[in-house]
Amino acid sequence: MRTYGVERLGAFSDGVFAIVATLLVLDIKLPDPPLPDRELAHELVANVPAFFGWLVSFVVLARFWTVHHHVVDALARVSMSTIVWNFVFLMTISLLPFAASLVGTYEFHSAGPLVAFALGLGLSALTLGLFAHHVARAQHLRREAREDLERVWRHHSLVVPAVAVAASATALLHPAMALAVLTVESVAMFVMLRAPRAETAA
């Protein structure tokens, strides 16, 4: 089986993440030209849904980048299957600005945009889990044994999609609550990733 260096895969992935992070903030903007009969405070309040869409998206994107970096760090080489799985994951990540813009455009008046947003994040988590599963199974590509990869792929393939479905159901009750559910799960994942390093340092 032909293999390749891991450097270009990591560099391209980082580039996609950087572009997505930049595009996310573009939905937070004031009317152009500014309306003379409206105060700045009113315009900022009108941007609250877009701001929350950006905030949750950025937190989730940072979490996905951290997990992706954690998984790629285990690789010494990559195969064509690795590259394909990575592209599938990046394809779902590239849709994140569109999903966030739905939240900013339709605000919290209907559940549909929040359901699409939550399910999009669940799909991204699922593809990241499948990418981690590929790396966990490809012992010939890894530079070291990494038992934690099993936990990563199970969590992202099973738990996060379930959370996304729960957030979608929550959006039917109150759209803004769906963002809170997704944020809590992402923050919890950051804590999980931090815990092993803290124990090691101790």
Side-chain angles (χ1 to χ4, degrees):
M1 176 187 296
R2 184 172 182 178
T3 61
Y4 309 88
V6 73
E7 295 80 11
R8 294 191 66 190
L9 181 142
F12 183 84
S13 300
D14 286 347
V16 172
F17 273 100
I19 292 172
V20 170
T22 302
L23 292 177
L24 284 175
V25 77
L26 297 181
D27 280 325
I28 305 177
K29 53 190 175 183
L30 298 177
D32 186 21
L35 300 177
D37 58 337
R38 301 180 71 175
E39 297 182 358
L40 176 61
H42 186 280
E43 299 299 338
L44 293 178
V45 170
N47 259 322
V48 166
F51 173 78
F52 277 108
W54 163 80
L55 180 62
V56 175
S57 299
F58 196 89
V59 170
V60 172
L61 185 69
R63 168 265 187 83
F64 282 157
W65 181 89
T66 303
V67 174
H68 182 268
H69 175 68
H70 183 74
V71 173
V72 171
D73 186 59
L75 290 167
R77 303 284 292 174
V78 298
S79 66
M80 186 56 65
S81 295
T82 314
I83 295 171
V84 169
W85 277 118
N86 191 63
F87 269 114
V88 170
F89 167 62
L90 294 179
M91 179 178 64
T92 63
I93 285 294
S94 68
L95 290 174
L96 189 55
F98 170 74
S101 68
L102 287 178
V103 177
T105 300
Y106 292 93
E107 302 182 345
F108 299 142
H109 302 311
S110 62
L114 273 301
V115 170
F117 182 76
L119 294 181
L121 295 184
L123 180 61
S124 293
L126 175 61
T127 56
L128 177 57
L130 293 175
F131 175 66
H133 179 264
H134 163 76
V135 175
R137 292 291 182 265
Q139 299 180 11
H140 61 290
L141 298 175
R142 298 202 312 269
R143 56 187 178 84
E144 59 182 358
R146 290 279 294 275
E147 296 180 359
D148 59 327
L149 292 177
E150 295 284 339
R151 182 183 64 183
V152 169
W153 78 258
R154 290 180 195 278
H155 184 83
H156 287 78
S157 298
L158 301 175
V159 177
V160 183
V163 171
V165 172
S168 299
T170 304
L172 299 177
L173 301 176
H174 193 292
M177 290 177 61
L179 297 179
V181 172
L182 295 169
T183 303
V184 168
E185 194 283 327
S186 287
V187 171
M189 188 63 195
F190 274 122
V191 173
M192 287 174 57
L193 289 173
R194 175 69 182 138
R197 291 195 293 270
E199 292 171 4
T200 302

